[in-house]
Amino acid sequence: MIDGVIFDKDGTLFDFRRSWGGWAETLVRRIARDAGHAHDLATAIGYDLDTGLFHPDSPVIAATAQDIAAALVTHLPGQTVAQVEAEINAAAAQAVMVPAVPLRPLLQALRDRGLRIGLATNDTEAPARAHLAAHDLTELFDFIAGYDSGHGAKPGPGMCLAFARQTGLDPARIAMVGDSLHDLHAGRAAGMLCIAVLTGIATRADLAPHADVVLPDIGALTGWLAERAA
């Protein structure tokens, strides 16, 4: 039985490519000196300005804003990681998130089943809250944490375990749902069931060895839970 679900955000609740491609292009063009510099910055974070595609190893996929800033700062003489991170967070808060599926009906259906719901993202907490609020979702979450919320970043288990503590749930009765290995490793380290979805960059072949189940997207979650309970 499952008593709670903790979701990753980017690539899980929100379609990764459609949400973050525009953000990456806007960010690098904002901070670049010229078009050539913009391409250098994009390459540093694993984004192709010409195709609009992310490289599978892009730090944008699962790393923190601080990690992304560290990748960029070597191309930005005179700036610090903290300054670049502030630019990243400002752009992230304004990024238009594209839901992977209709989110409010899904989350409400999970709550109606008696499940507690959490969010664990390697984004910072403020942009994460802004993205949820923009889609009228905040009230559906019992727990919201970013990498700067005091619980550490994924693949560490801190955010997952903090959700369990706050809700009083046994980690073994919680499902961690995510699109990256960072998500699955965090859930596994916390002793949780691990559910992978394919709305990020990673493939089924990447995720399946580390997941208890791979679903096409989180819209399949309610059906999977019903089958499991039957």
Side-chain angles (χ1 to χ4, degrees):
M1 295 294 292
I2 301 299
D3 299 322
V5 181
I6 184 162
F7 291 97
D8 170 56
K9 180 169 69 72
D10 305 317
T12 302
L13 294 178
F14 301 105
D15 183 279
F16 188 88
R17 293 174 181 84
R18 291 188 292 161
S19 298
W20 288 100
W23 167 86
E25 180 161 358
T26 298
L27 174 69
V28 298
R29 294 196 185 282
R30 177 192 296 180
I31 63 178
R33 295 187 302 271
D34 52 41
H37 190 214
H39 276 79
D40 291 341
L41 293 171
T43 298
I45 60 171
Y47 180 70
D48 189 321
L49 278 175
D50 297 321
T51 65
L53 299 176
F54 286 93
H55 188 275
D57 294 329
S58 168
V60 178
I61 295 170
T64 67
Q66 187 175 62
D67 295 326
I68 299 166
L72 290 170
V73 76
T74 57
H75 300 274
L76 297 166
Q79 295 198 47
T80 67
V81 170
Q83 288 172 324
V84 179
E85 185 179 0
E87 287 272 9
I88 289 169
N89 288 333
Q94 298 170 7
V96 177
M97 296 289 102
V98 180
V101 301
L103 291 174
R104 191 170 179 89
L106 170 66
L107 296 172
Q108 188 62 62
L110 295 176
R111 292 194 69 90
D112 289 347
R113 293 175 64 94
L115 300 181
R116 308 295 292 275
I117 299 175
L119 179 75
T121 176
N122 272 357
D123 198 355
T124 44
E125 183 177 333
R129 287 185 175 275
H131 297 157
L132 295 180
H135 292 272
D136 192 27
L137 301 173
T138 309
E139 69 185 57
L140 297 174
F141 284 82
D142 300 290
F143 174 88
I144 299 169
Y147 87 92
D148 60 340
S149 300
H151 312 297
K154 296 175 290 186
M159 287 186 276
C160 293
L161 292 174
F163 171 61
R165 287 194 303 271
Q166 181 167 310
T167 55
L169 300 180
D170 179 351
R173 295 172 67 93
I174 298 173
M176 171 67 206
V177 184
D179 68 296
S180 77
L181 293 181
H182 273 26
D183 301 321
L184 302 179
H185 291 162
R188 191 68 73 204
M192 296 179 175
L193 184 75
C194 294
I195 300 175
V197 291
L198 300 176
T199 40
I201 303 298
T203 66
R204 181 180 294 273
D206 296 327
L207 300 172
H210 306 275
D212 294 293
V213 64
V214 180
L215 301 177
D217 56 49
I218 57 173
L221 186 57
T222 51
W224 182 82
L225 288 171
E227 290 176 5
R228 184 180 174 87

